[in-house]
């Protein structure tokens, strides 16, 4: 989750865990492309939105069929003017963007505005072809926001793309999701289960958090140029700190 922020710098964590993602290595994983441009070999776009009390954090990724991918955009809503920030020192907040609204109303307004911005956009591939986001997951696990997220995903003009998402921490000793007793209307795959409409009337996805964090870490350990590698937008001669904030977030996961 992009909002996770280490109490210590990621370089300190590296010394404790030799298997940890290395900040210096992640900063070199650049696609050579500008922000918001899909690599030539990618065929589809996905997005994820994490919900916080005063901000929405998002990332957009372009993927090829073998899970080679690139993070082509990320940030927060409302948009920040600073390049590096935390939850505690954000200058722009949902309260300031939507004055006079209560918590649920401003979350709703923010989600509507952000999803419209992301899902209405025609994203350009480097050969000039355009694509739109095929699936956007929205964090629905924070209890106070769960109903709001489901409502937005249900009534939005982008309802066919939006899906509420919740994570489940499944340990090695637990039965994997693939072995859970199937319920009517469910679809499932490795580390995910999509439910039927349920009482909120919106199909939602439950994801095995540890499975997908490990999957992402493996993509970030795969050498750029090999199948299944994940890169970040940026020119190859960009300054080394171009993705400092994102790299620190990624390296806070262990």
């Amino acid at each position: 989750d992009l909002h996770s922020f280490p109490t210590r710098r990621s370089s300190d964590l590296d010394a404790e865990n030799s298997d940890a993602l290395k900040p210096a290595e992640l900063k070199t994983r650049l696609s050579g492309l500008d922000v918001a441009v899909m690599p030539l070999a990618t065929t589809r776009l996905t997005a994820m939105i994490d919900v916080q009390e005063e901000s929405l954090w998002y990332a957009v990724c372009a993927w090829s069929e073998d899970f080679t991918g690139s993070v082509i955009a990320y940030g927060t809503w409302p948009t920040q003017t600073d390049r590096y920030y935390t939850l505690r020192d954000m200058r722009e907040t949902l309260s300031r963007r939507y004055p006079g609204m209560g918590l649920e109303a401003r979350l709703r307004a923010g989600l509507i505005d952000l999803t419209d911005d992301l899902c209405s956009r025609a994203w350009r591939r480097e050969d000039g072809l355009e694509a739109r986001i095929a699936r956007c997951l929205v964090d629905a696990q924070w209890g106070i926001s769960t109903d709001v997220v489901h409502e937005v995903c249900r009534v939005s003009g982008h309802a066919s793309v939006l899906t509420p998402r919740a994570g489940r921490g499944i340990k090695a000793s637990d039965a994997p999701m693939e072995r859970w007793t199937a319920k009517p209307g469910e679809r499932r795959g490795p580390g995910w289960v999509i439910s039927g409409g349920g009482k909120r009337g919106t199909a939602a996805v439950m994801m095995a958090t540890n499975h997908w964090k490990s999957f992402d870490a493996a993509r970030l350990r795969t050498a750029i140029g090999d199948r299944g590698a994940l890169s970040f937008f940026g020119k190859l001669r960009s300054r080394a700190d171009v993705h400092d904030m994102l790299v620190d977030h990624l390296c806070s996961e262990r």
Side-chain angles (χ1 to χ4, degrees), residues 92-230:
E92 302 299 327
T93 64
L94 293 174
S95 293
R96 292 177 179 172
R97 179 81 178 194
Y98 308 103
M101 292 187 181
L103 173 59
E104 292 175 319
R106 66 177 178 257
L107 286 176
R108 184 181 189 276
L111 283 170
I112 289 173
D113 286 346
L114 176 56
T115 54
D116 191 56
D117 178 61
L118 295 177
C119 298
S120 295
R121 189 183 308 184
W123 301 79
R124 182 175 61 85
R125 202 167 67 171
E126 61 176 309
D127 60 358
L129 295 179
E130 294 181 342
R132 296 183 185 273
I133 290 172
R135 181 63 50 197
C136 178
L137 303 185
V138 185
D139 170 31
Q141 202 156 9
W142 183 35
I144 198 169
S145 68
T146 300
D147 287 340
V148 174
V149 170
H150 278 261
E151 182 205 357
V152 170
C153 291
R154 186 177 64 252
V155 305
S156 168
H158 309 288
S160 63
V161 173
L162 303 177
T163 301
R165 171 265 184 200
R168 177 74 64 86
I170 298 177
K171 301 176 182 177
S173 58
D174 297 332
M177 284 185 168
E178 301 92 286
R179 292 195 215 156
W180 289 4
T181 301
K183 297 179 182 179
E186 282 186 347
R187 295 165 48 207
R188 60 181 59 207
W192 59 267
V193 175
I194 297 179
S195 67
K199 64 180 181 180
R200 293 186 176 93
T202 313
V205 61
M206 174 73 72
M207 302 179 68
T209 305
N210 295 333
H211 170 91
W212 288 105
K213 286 183 179 180
S214 297
F215 183 91
D216 288 344
R219 307 281 70 74
L220 292 169
R221 291 189 182 100
T222 302
I224 299 295
D226 286 343
R227 295 177 60 184
L230 182 63

Side-chain angles (χ1 to χ4, degrees), residues 19-137:
D19 194 40
L21 296 172
K22 307 298 192 295
E25 295 175 4
L26 293 189
K27 291 175 184 180
T28 67
R29 303 183 66 86
L30 301 180
S31 66
L33 301 174
D34 289 327
V35 61
V37 178
M38 301 168 59
L40 184 62
T42 57
T43 58
R44 64 189 70 203
L45 285 171
T46 63
M48 171 68 194
I49 299 171
D50 184 51
V51 177
Q52 296 291 305
E53 183 173 348
E54 286 291 355
S55 55
L56 306 173
W57 300 62
Y58 69 89
V60 181
C61 295
W63 302 100
S64 64
E65 300 304 311
D66 60 6
F67 272 113
T68 302
S70 185
V71 178
I72 67 168
Y74 62 87
T76 60
W77 185 269
T79 302
Q80 304 299 307
T81 55
D82 295 326
R83 188 179 59 82
Y84 196 111
Y85 48 87
T86 72
L87 281 172
R88 293 184 296 274
D89 58 22
M90 295 177 68
R91 297 175 186 270
E92 302 299 327
T93 64
L94 293 174
S95 293
R96 292 177 179 172
R97 179 81 178 194
Y98 308 103
M101 292 187 181
L103 173 59
E104 292 175 319
R106 66 177 178 257
L107 286 176
R108 184 181 189 276
L111 283 170
I112 289 173
D113 286 346
L114 176 56
T115 54
D116 191 56
D117 178 61
L118 295 177
C119 298
S120 295
R121 189 183 308 184
W123 301 79
R124 182 175 61 85
R125 202 167 67 171
E126 61 176 309
D127 60 358
L129 295 179
E130 294 181 342
R132 296 183 185 273
I133 290 172
R135 181 63 50 197
C136 178
L137 303 185

